Amino acid sequence: MYQVLLYTEFIVSIVILVLSLILFRYKISRPIQYIQYAFFCMFLLNIGYWIEIQCTDLDAAMVAVKIEYCGSVYISTLMMFVVTEYLHVSLKPVIKWVMLSIDSLILLGVLTYEKHDLFFSAVGYEESGLYPHVVLESGILRHFFTYYTNFINLFMLLILTYYFIRKFRDRDRVPVLFLVDMYLPFFAVVFHFFGIMETVDLSPIFIGAAGVGVFAFLKNDMLFQIVDVATGKVIDNMQDAFIVMDSKMKLLELNNSAKLMFPELAGYDEKPVIVYECSEVLRKIINERPKDVILIGDRYYMAKFSSILNNNRLEGYYIHFSDRTEWKHYTDDLIQRSIDAENESEAKSNLLVNTSHDIRTPINAIIGMNELILRKTDDEEIIEHASDVERAGKYLLSLVNNILDISKIGAGKMHIIDVDYDMTSLLDEVIGLGKITANEKNLQFNINVDSEIPDKLHGDEVRIKQILNNIISNAVKYTEKGQVDMNVSLVEKDEFFAAIRFEIKDTGIGIKEEDMPKILESFERVDENRNYNVQGTGLGMPIITSLLEMMNSKLYIESVYTKGSNFHFVLKQGVAGSSVVGDYNKRNIKDNGKKRNYKCSFSAPDARVLVVDDNRLNMVVLNNLLKLSGINIDNVFSGEACIEAVKENTYHVILLDYMMPGMDGIETLKQLKTMEGNKSAGAYVIALTANVVSGVESMYKTAGFDDYLAKPIEYRKLETMLIKALPSELVIMNS
């Protein structure tokens, strides 16, 4: 029996030692480290007990006992760590350190037992029994160690039992053999503690056997292969490169992609390799942590350098290279397209400016000169022809405006500019033009305006007139007989806002149901065969819908083919005053097409104005429009001439053309503000421009102009601006 015990202890000791060495084959991880430590402690326990049972004197036996306790005090704690890692139970680091500290204090008590009786109250040696052996009487510390160790073992077994029961039906349940294996050393210790086996202590053998079982079960459960599998099956097959280092930057692992990227890291299996010493690229990544892609070879990579932490403890580092070459090419292409789009948009904006100037400038001359004819002639035939020219000019201007507006909308340059305005004046202009066009086709133009609509409103007056004029123009164009009705009603109103409904109905040709979507598309005209003789570009409706959308509204269309159409929308406008439109329906708005009995609203015979424009016709128009005011006018045809004029004369207002050859309006203004000897340094400078693209007002104000006038020039707006610009003592208002 004694010999069997000796052989068994020796074999168990050697097996446990071999298993602890085998674990060095696997990549170091926290669970494997715990098992390695536990197996080494089991080896010390068994080899110590093997030595003890062969000793023939007390002193030698007590040395063997110390070797036993060097292992046994830590085994329960380490196996507790293994079980919690296996079951993925979080155990705080502070608890682990406390448990290991308690074990170390117990070991200290064993190693110094000769100096106190805390661990062994008495030590003896007996020759009787199966073999000579030491007899140890337990002190208070040994009793504590026994209860403390059994408490840990019991707690560990309860956790295993709980997980076994809870996951009994799951594939990842705790194996029953693993559970039984962990119970064996617990019962062996209990049997020896209660004297069931007094002479022979089989607990080292059972603990060693349990260690062998733990190794077998956990190896089969792939605990040891987890890192190998992850590296071999996932990381090695990744297209992205992956480099793993320890806490000292020594290379631990890199996958196939990383080997191809960094051949200089080859040979890391034979000797330790410090990663940042092998590659300048890796040094830069570790030191600078780049946020953008980096070029390695002919590929672009996003490099992520990160720490590997376990319970807030630094275990190492890794660098992950994700291939972003296709993404880089794609984003570069997008950026280039964006730059090209911006350049194209800028080119479109420049085209809009030039087109606006080149087309509107002659239209300004046509409409302005025609206005002078209507003011001066008494010949009925000339007045009739001049009125035709006026209508044609305004129609041409409307077409140009539509083309420019659709271009501005497409380029994202259209904006809504809200100002205070009079509803009565807006209706006068819209209805006046509507009556003229309706009378020419012998159509009735009926109006019905809600008397409670506020007269002082806040919104984009220009765009509202544009919307209404386009709808009325279409209604008249596509109505051969009958009438066009305009209804304006108040939907709701409070202290700050008023919702106003605009409705235009006609008895025209109507719209087919299948053609309804087409009328909102640019350059589309419906029923071309029937409407071939009707003027139009098909731009009006798309502009209307875009403008309404920008004003948070929507156009609604109801139509019956051959019977007529109804266009209506609701606009929410700010209320800028308490007055109301009143009984607008009794107003008589018309244009009789006769001589303009025009009278200037003011006179300023002592005022002096300089007009700077390279276009002779524009100069004639401006001079004649201002003639009735009595203003003293000087004319020059270039920016350079303007500079010379202000050196000699004092002007109250300078009307300065924006686009001129040589020195343009902005360059001229800069020189006016910085030059010495400028006698007109305090003059009010107004930009004359045919550029009507959105944002010009802020552009001119930023450039230093006091105000601007758009061509064709509206003479009433010109008068209003001059009254504001001239010194008040020089202005005489006419009754």
Side-chain angles (χ1 to χ4, degrees):
M1 179 66 180
Y2 175 67
Q3 293 299 322
V4 173
L5 180 62
L6 280 176
Y7 290 137
T8 304
E9 278 292 352
F10 182 75
I11 291 171
V12 170
S13 300
I14 296 302
V15 170
I16 289 295
L17 180 61
V18 170
L19 292 180
S20 66
L21 295 175
I22 288 175
L23 288 175
F24 283 103
R25 293 173 48 202
Y26 301 99
K27 298 296 184 290
I28 297 300
S29 65
R30 183 67 64 195
I32 293 176
Q33 281 184 328
Y34 290 149
I35 295 173
Q36 279 181 318
Y37 297 151
F39 280 8
F40 185 70
C41 290
M42 291 177 189
F43 168 73
L44 291 177
L45 170 62
N46 280 274
I47 201 68
Y49 189 60
W50 179 70
I51 295 171
E52 179 195 340
I53 61 179
Q54 296 182 80
C55 291
T56 57
D57 62 79
L58 178 61
D59 292 338
M62 289 308 297
V63 172
V65 168
K66 289 182 179 181
I67 295 174
E68 291 177 50
Y69 275 98
C70 283
S72 64
V73 294
Y74 294 107
I75 292 174
S76 295
T77 297
L78 291 170
M79 290 308 297
M80 179 69 176
F81 295 168
V82 172
V83 169
T84 54
E85 290 284 344
Y86 176 74
L87 298 177
H88 305 292
V89 176
S90 177
L91 203 61
K92 293 184 177 179
V94 64
I95 296 177
K96 294 181 179 180
W97 282 111
V98 168
M99 294 176 69
L100 291 171
S101 299
I102 292 173
D103 294 339
S104 299
L105 288 173
I106 293 170
L107 178 60
L108 182 63
V110 175
L111 298 177
T112 60
Y113 79 93
E114 299 96 337
K115 299 179 181 181
H116 55 79
D117 59 358
L118 293 175
F119 202 86
F120 300 124
S121 60
V123 176
Y125 193 79
E126 270 190 24
E127 298 286 343
S128 62
L130 182 62
Y131 57 89
H133 60 277
V134 295
V135 178
L136 304 172
E137 296 291 334
S138 297
I140 186 171
L141 189 58
R142 191 183 186 202
H143 282 298
F144 170 77
F145 170 64
T146 302
Y147 287 113
Y148 171 70
T149 302
N150 283 316
F151 172 77
I152 293 176
N153 292 336
L154 181 61
F155 183 70
M156 176 171 55
L157 293 172
L158 288 175
I159 292 175
L160 282 168
T161 305
Y162 168 75
Y163 274 84
F164 174 78
I165 295 173
R166 195 184 76 169
K167 298 190 175 184
F168 184 76
R169 297 180 181 276
D170 297 342
R171 293 180 61 186
D172 60 344
R173 66 182 181 273
V174 177
V176 65
L177 293 178
F178 180 35
L179 188 65
V180 173
D181 179 70
M182 295 298 290
Y183 269 93
L184 289 177
F186 173 73
F187 288 123
V189 172
V190 171
F191 290 160
H192 182 72
F193 178 74
F194 287 105
I196 299 174
M197 293 182 294
E198 294 184 359
T199 302
V200 179
D201 184 3
L202 296 180
S203 58
I205 294 176
F206 276 98
I207 290 172
V212 175
V214 167
F215 181 91
F217 293 132
L218 295 186
K219 186 175 187 299
N220 184 63
D221 205 47
M222 302 204 50
L223 177 66
F224 301 151
Q225 289 100 325
I226 270 182
V227 177
D228 284 338
V229 170
T231 302
K233 301 297 183 182
V234 180
I235 298 179
D236 270 353
N237 294 324
M238 289 174 63
Q239 291 184 350
D240 294 351
F242 210 90
I243 299 175
V244 182
M245 300 159 280
D246 66 11
S247 58
K248 296 181 180 179
M249 298 286 181
K250 291 181 180 178
L251 181 61
L252 294 178
E253 186 63 81
L254 73 165
N255 66 351
N256 292 328
S257 296
K259 292 175 183 177
L260 293 174
M261 286 176 61
F262 302 102
E264 59 268 35
L265 296 181
Y268 73 96
D269 291 330
E270 289 77 23
K271 59 180 180 178
V273 172
I274 305 298
V275 170
Y276 60 80
E277 294 179 351
C278 297
S279 168
E280 189 61 34
V281 172
L282 295 174
R283 182 192 297 273
K284 181 178 180 181
I285 292 169
I286 292 171
N287 292 334
E288 300 180 11
R289 316 284 177 90
K291 301 296 183 182
D292 296 325
V293 294
I294 58 176
L295 181 64
I296 302 176
D298 60 348
R299 308 288 293 178
Y300 290 93
Y301 294 91
M302 182 67 76
K304 180 182 180 182
F305 176 76
S306 299
S307 303
I308 302 172
L309 300 174
N310 187 8
N311 292 322
N312 295 322
R313 177 180 172 181
L314 179 65
E315 299 289 343
Y317 304 94
Y318 73 88
I319 306 176
H320 177 208
F321 295 88
S322 55
D323 194 329
R324 298 297 181 88
T325 305
E326 300 304 323
W327 172 85
K328 182 69 167 59
H329 292 331
Y330 176 71
T331 52
D332 286 349
D333 183 58
L334 285 181
I335 292 171
Q336 187 58 49
R337 289 186 184 184
S338 177
I339 294 172
D340 293 343
E342 289 180 7
N343 293 337
E344 183 179 354
S345 177
E346 185 67 24
K348 286 182 177 179
S349 296
N350 293 334
L351 178 63
L352 284 175
V353 171
N354 295 330
T355 302
S356 176
H357 180 272
D358 293 343
I359 297 178
R360 293 172 67 92
T361 296
I363 295 177
N364 172 57
I366 293 170
I367 294 177
M369 296 298 288
N370 194 71
E371 172 66 24
L372 298 179
I373 293 172
L374 286 171
R375 288 186 185 184
K376 292 181 177 181
T377 186
D378 292 320
D379 190 305
E380 292 293 333
E381 186 175 357
I382 293 177
I383 291 173
E384 183 179 351
H385 294 328
S387 297
D388 291 338
V389 171
E390 181 181 46
R391 283 189 287 273
K394 288 183 177 180
Y395 177 72
L396 178 59
L397 182 61
S398 174
L399 290 180
V400 171
N401 287 339
N402 281 344
I403 294 171
L404 292 174
D405 283 345
I406 207 69
S407 300
K408 284 187 282 184
I409 292 170
K413 300 290 185 179
M414 178 74 80
H415 300 286
I416 297 299
I417 302 173
D418 293 333
V419 296
D420 291 343
Y421 67 92
D422 294 336
M423 185 62 165
T424 301
S425 298
L426 182 149
L427 292 174
D428 283 349
E429 186 171 337
V430 170
I431 294 171
L433 183 60
K435 282 193 171 185
I436 293 172
T437 55
N439 289 339
E440 289 174 350
K441 294 186 69 174
N442 295 318
L443 300 175
Q444 293 184 28
F445 190 86
N446 304 316
I447 58 170
N448 182 31
V449 180
D450 193 330
S451 61
E452 296 301 317
I453 295 175
D455 192 32
K456 304 294 183 182
L457 295 172
H458 185 79
D460 195 328
E461 176 190 16
V462 173
R463 296 306 176 191
I464 296 172
K465 287 192 290 188
Q466 183 178 359
I467 291 168
L468 292 173
N469 284 333
N470 268 328
I471 296 176
I472 292 171
S473 174
N474 280 342
V476 172
K477 278 194 297 185
Y478 293 103
T479 302
E480 295 301 323
K481 58 181 180 179
Q483 62 192 50
V484 175
D485 298 332
M486 178 176 176
N487 300 311
V488 187
S489 57
L490 184 64
V491 178
E492 59 178 330
K493 172 189 171 185
D494 59 25
E495 183 180 355
F496 304 103
F497 294 99
I500 303 169
R501 185 177 189 270
F502 296 89
E503 179 187 44
I504 292 93
K505 296 191 297 184
D506 63 63
T507 57
I509 61 173
I511 306 167
K512 295 178 181 178
E513 186 174 351
E514 61 269 23
D515 288 335
M516 197 71 75
K518 291 183 182 179
I519 66 172
L520 302 181
E521 297 179 12
S522 300
F523 303 102
E524 280 285 349
R525 297 183 65 201
V526 299
D527 212 356
E528 283 279 13
N529 291 333
R530 182 170 182 176
N531 302 320
Y532 69 94
N533 62 335
V534 178
Q535 291 179 324
T537 59
L539 292 176
M541 297 310 295
I543 293 172
I544 290 169
T545 54
S546 297
L547 291 175
L548 286 175
E549 184 177 346
M550 295 170 70
M551 290 190 282
N552 298 315
S553 184
K554 182 180 179 181
L555 180 67
Y556 294 91
I557 306 172
E558 300 168 7
S559 185
V560 178
Y561 189 56
T562 72
K563 300 294 184 182
S565 303
N566 183 338
F567 296 80
H568 57 91
F569 60 91
V570 175
L571 279 181
K572 192 173 184 179
Q573 299 286 280
V575 176
S578 57
S579 60
V580 295
V581 170
D583 193 358
Y584 186 89
N585 302 322
K586 292 184 178 180
R587 293 171 65 90
N588 183 26
I589 302 169
K590 63 181 180 178
D591 185 344
N592 56 17
K594 293 185 179 179
K595 177 182 177 179
R596 299 274 200 269
N597 293 315
Y598 178 79
K599 185 176 182 181
C600 189
S601 60
F602 78 101
S603 60
D606 296 327
R608 197 162 187 183
V609 173
L610 176 64
V611 179
V612 186
D613 198 319
D614 63 305
N615 187 288
R616 187 186 65 81
L617 287 178
N618 286 341
M619 195 79 77
V620 171
V621 169
L622 269 171
N623 277 264
N624 281 277
L625 290 177
L626 294 174
K627 185 182 294 184
L628 293 179
S629 66
I631 292 175
N632 297 295
I633 303 171
D634 287 349
N635 301 295
V636 294
F637 294 91
S638 67
E640 291 82 358
C642 172
I643 299 302
E644 295 301 320
V646 297
K647 291 179 181 178
E648 304 294 332
N649 304 299
T650 300
Y651 298 102
H652 301 101
V653 175
I654 299 176
L655 297 172
L656 180 59
D657 189 26
Y658 163 71
M659 189 175 291
M660 296 181 294
M663 186 184 293
D664 65 15
I666 290 181
E667 292 174 352
T668 303
L669 179 64
K670 286 181 180 178
Q671 193 158 333
L672 286 174
K673 290 184 176 294
T674 57
M675 65 180 287
E676 294 182 2
N678 182 4
K679 293 184 177 181
S680 302
Y684 194 93
V685 184
I686 300 171
L688 299 176
T689 178
N691 175 14
V692 292
V693 297
S694 181
V696 292
E697 181 175 10
S698 61
M699 180 184 72
Y700 293 133
K701 292 293 179 67
T702 302
F705 288 97
D706 296 296
D707 214 330
Y708 82 101
L709 267 173
K711 300 176 183 178
I713 294 172
E714 298 179 22
Y715 46 87
R716 288 297 182 190
K717 187 174 288 187
L718 172 62
E719 288 182 11
T720 301
M721 197 169 292
L722 287 174
I723 292 170
K724 172 185 174 183
L726 290 171
S728 58
E729 65 273 14
L730 300 182
V731 177
I732 303 170
M733 300 302 298
N734 296 327
S735 58

